[in-house]
Amino acid sequence: MSYLVLARKYRPKTFTEMVGQEHVVQALTNALTTRRLHHAYLFTGTRGVGKTTVSRILAKSLNCQGADGQGGITANPCGVCQACIDIDADRFIDYTELDAASNRGIDDVQSLLEQAAYKPVQGRFKVFMIDEVHMLTGPAFNSMLKTLEEPPQYMKFVLATTDPQKVPVTVLSRCLQFNLRPMAPETVLTHLGYVLQQESIKAEPQALRLIARAARGSMRDALSLTDQAIAFGGGQLKEESVKHMLGSADRTYVFLLIEALANGDGKSVVAISEALRLHGLNSASTLEDMSSVLQRMAVLQAVGNTPEADITDPEAADIARLASLMPADETQLLYSLCIHGRQELGLAPDEYAALTMVLLRLLAFKPKSPSDTTNARPIASALAEKKTSELAQPQEIAQGSRSPPLGQTSEGDFWNQLVREMVEAQAINALVRELALQSQLIARDDKQWSLQVDKDSLNTPSNRERLQAALVQFGYDVQLSVTTGPVLDSTAKRLTQENAERQARAEAIILQDPFVQSLMRDFDAKIVPGSIKPV
């Protein structure tokens, strides 16, 4: 007997077996129970989240005859009647699936719609399911509009797509739309544990975590990777074999990299990158894993341990320790560098060199402090130390990560006005402009001005000389001294605050608009995050 892959063997056959799509299941269950059935449904979402599965379950619910042959429309199809069996086996004559990726022309759609004129042969409803509907041509979409708007009473349409933005609004307006969400790694992990328990296959918890993360929200991908891992591991799922199969970096390397960056240890960064090269580990996967760890560090720094935190996660202690080593702003910067740096890997002649450059980029902007050298310690030994006493409490992390408040001063008012005039006149540019924007005027007299900036990379002799020359052009012939230290009042901080206030005012204007409020109240409309921009 041929082997049935896990993704097909454990494909849900009822709504109660669906995982991670409770919002869709609840809506469809209520509609079927109350008989408030729409004639056209559109399911959207990334690959492997259950679009086709929901379509088949819906078709069974509409056509189920019951175990005794006397059943009607139901939210719980029996699975044993002829209609349910035939739909599961993809041979139900009144359920037709069209793959729009390969049948996208007007002739293909018209051939399908011609069948709509005939009543169901076996079932209660004819159900047409068009997968990847966004691939249809313009004429093909146009040819189905009339039938889609006013189909026969026995006709139901189910459309599915991974790219709803490409579906014409004329089609969207005729459908009831449901968005199937990518599944959280925890949801995928739980389901994988259930599947392997049914299969009587032993698996290490960390191996399943790796697969759940690699699936990127797709349950089908997770089950396919599990199949591959079982074959790769000879019937067992072990952490080391799954890492080798995925080509992912050992999280130990990720922790070492982040700690080296926190300590400003460029030599260790280069050495670890070379170790990744020697072991043939994937650079893109390394940056992805770093992004995941940094995201958890940022959450810990901001709010401490959340109630849903997994205390059984063996990485929790290392992440908490790293969160206490790196300031919150550096965590955010490194996260951004990892996300954007992944796009650069394909542009570089050597992906490992590109990885090293992405990591070293943070050190170029990292402010140095006297504690950097006194607190430095060997990376390998630091990673091995996991004593509870070394972990900062979440409350302390959250308090230590907050930026100092903006304290405006009279000297700051003068410097802010002068910097804006120099920028507007284009008297300063590039790094000199950044030095002026990000520095604070500490003191001044007729002969000397003292500035303070929090980044050593801006406090260079050439930048100071060029800024001093620009001051002379504006009538201030003074000696300029720049020191490195915390900055509470700078033009850059004031601009950030002004932009935030303008954004808040713009959002308030939109939210207080009577027309917008009526749309949100009457039609359950929602404002797309990030769509409001101040003019």
Side-chain angles (χ1 to χ4, degrees), residues 203-223:
E204 294 182 355
Q206 194 59 16
L208 293 185
R209 290 181 189 277
L210 291 170
I211 293 176
R213 286 197 296 259
R216 296 180 176 276
S218 169
M219 188 63 76
R220 183 176 63 212
D221 286 6
L223 291 171

Side-chain angles (χ1 to χ4, degrees), residues 146-159:
K146 187 60 178 177
T147 308
L148 187 63
E149 183 176 13
E150 298 178 358
Q153 193 171 7
Y154 52 79
M155 186 77 242
K156 300 294 181 186
F157 282 93
V158 179
L159 312 180

Side-chain angles (χ1 to χ4, degrees), residues 239-240 243 248-255 276 281 289:
E239 181 181 358
E240 289 303 319
K243 285 179 181 176
S248 58
D250 189 326
R251 282 294 177 105
T252 303
Y253 288 110
V254 173
F255 296 147
L276 293 173
L281 299 176
D289 286 346

Side-chain angles (χ1 to χ4, degrees), residues 419-487:
V419 169
R420 293 182 187 229
E421 290 176 0
M422 290 192 294
V423 170
E424 185 175 358
Q426 297 184 352
I428 52 177
N429 52 44
L431 291 178
V432 180
R433 179 181 59 195
E434 289 302 311
L435 173 60
L437 287 171
Q438 298 189 35
S439 60
Q440 178 178 354
L441 181 60
I442 302 299
R444 63 186 173 102
D445 54 33
D446 294 338
K447 296 182 179 180
Q448 183 166 343
W449 289 8
S450 297
L451 298 179
Q452 189 157 292
V453 68
D454 60 0
K455 291 183 175 63
D456 264 351
S457 58
L458 295 176
N459 188 9
T460 63
S462 61
N463 287 346
R464 292 195 298 269
E465 291 172 4
R466 291 165 62 189
L467 180 56
Q468 184 169 311
L471 291 175
V472 172
Q473 294 180 18
F474 275 72
Y476 300 99
D477 190 4
V478 295
Q479 290 294 321
L480 191 64
S481 65
V482 183
T483 57
T484 301
V487 173

Side-chain angles (χ1 to χ4, degrees), residues 173-187:
S173 65
R174 289 164 166 81
C175 299
L176 206 60
Q177 183 171 345
F178 295 92
N179 181 34
L180 279 72
R181 304 164 183 160
M183 300 179 200
E186 294 77 14
T187 302

